[in-house]
Amino acid sequence: MSKPCIICVAITGSLPRKSDNPAVPVTVTEQVESTQEAFEAGATIAHCHVRNDDESPSSDPEKFGLLLEGLRKHCPGMIVQFSTGGRSGAGKSRGGMLPLKPDMASLSVGSNNFPTRVYENPPDLVDWLASEMQAYQVTPEIEAFDLSHIHQAISMAKAGKLHGKLYIQFVMGVKNAMPADLNTFRYYVKTVERLAPGTEWCAAGIGRHQLTLNEWSIKAGGHARTGLEDNVRLDKNTLAPSNAALVKRTVELCHAYNRPVATWQEARKTLGLKEKLQ
């Protein structure tokens, strides 16, 4: 298989702290440095959250702006994807950074259970976030935590509610949500291929499932997400020394399955993204 594999690195997220792994980047400076290393290792999408000084999650547009500036300077061509997830803010504050015009932003189109809470994505908020992404020409990455989210994303795309090319990410292994189950994964792929032929898709595994989902996705012709947001370990007994180390492991899987690693130019072409210089 010669299709290039796009590697997304989720650099920090909202939950992991330095007490979990000292390599988790928290400040904007740390995030830029960590992302640059991951970019040089082969990642072409940076999935971004921002944090407060106490490591708690933030949705501060000013912090996102500083991060975007740093990434465009030190990782030229890399696709910058902001999170609009519900752990970092509430209501419309979740989309307060979209006027900064990142290349992409995550979009969860339905609700589901998380380990200790309901991850709420009410239809009116989903529609508002999608409309903001259209207004600022930000391509959404659909984060599908459930089969219904795939159907909803395809429906929204057909209705013209989503900017750019449809891109769906299967998130598996979150406690109380969809487990990392191979038959379910295969059904997800078949569902996308049946209802939206030609759509690019990706998979993300949480915790110990990260490597498993990387392998399933790369083998099946999809794209891969890795990074310290989802998993802070190389194995049960070894902390990951960096985001770059997790990217390098994903690159090795690509080589094992004869998948070239997408350059940033190839990633942008595949996802229909023009380079944004400001």
Side-chain angles (χ1 to χ4, degrees), residues 8 30 44 49 133 137 177 186 220 225-226 272:
C8 172
E30 288 176 340
T44 47
H49 293 246
M133 292 181 197
Q137 297 185 317
R186 288 172 173 164
R225 166 164 148 162
T226 191

Side-chain angles (χ1 to χ4, degrees), residues 184-240:
T184 301
F185 169 82
R186 288 172 173 164
Y187 188 76
Y188 277 3
V189 175
K190 289 181 180 179
T191 299
V192 171
E193 292 176 344
R194 176 172 60 89
L195 298 179
T199 295
E200 298 294 335
W201 55 270
C202 173
I206 307 304
R208 63 185 175 85
H209 304 294
Q210 184 176 83
L211 184 60
T212 300
L213 266 293
N214 285 166
E215 185 168 14
W216 291 352
S217 185
I218 291 166
K219 184 178 180 181
H223 305 292
R225 166 164 148 162
T226 191
L228 292 168
E229 171 178 349
D230 300 337
N231 164 51
V232 298
R233 297 180 176 276
L234 286 176
D235 57 47
K236 184 178 180 180
N237 300 312
T238 310
L239 292 176

Side-chain angles (χ1 to χ4, degrees), residues 14 29 45 53 73 97 101 139 151 189 259 272 276-277:
S14 296
T29 299
I45 299 177
D53 292 341
K73 178 180 179 180
M97 78 299 288
K101 300 182 179 180
T139 297
H151 284 270
V189 175
R259 293 283 306 279
K276 294 184 179 181
L277 301 178

Side-chain angles (χ1 to χ4, degrees), residues 78-114:
M78 192 177 197
I79 298 165
V80 179
Q81 180 189 106
F82 285 169
S83 171
T84 66
R87 283 194 175 113
S88 301
K92 292 185 177 181
S93 70
R94 288 168 53 175
M97 78 299 288
L98 294 174
L100 296 171
K101 300 182 179 180
D103 301 289
M104 302 183 76
S106 62
L107 179 64
S108 299
V109 298
S111 301
N112 61 279
N113 286 342
F114 269 2

Side-chain angles (χ1 to χ4, degrees), residues 147-164:
L147 177 62
S148 63
H149 301 171
I150 296 174
H151 284 270
Q152 178 65 6
I154 294 171
S155 176
M156 291 178 71
K158 289 180 177 178
K161 292 183 176 182
L162 302 178
H163 174 75

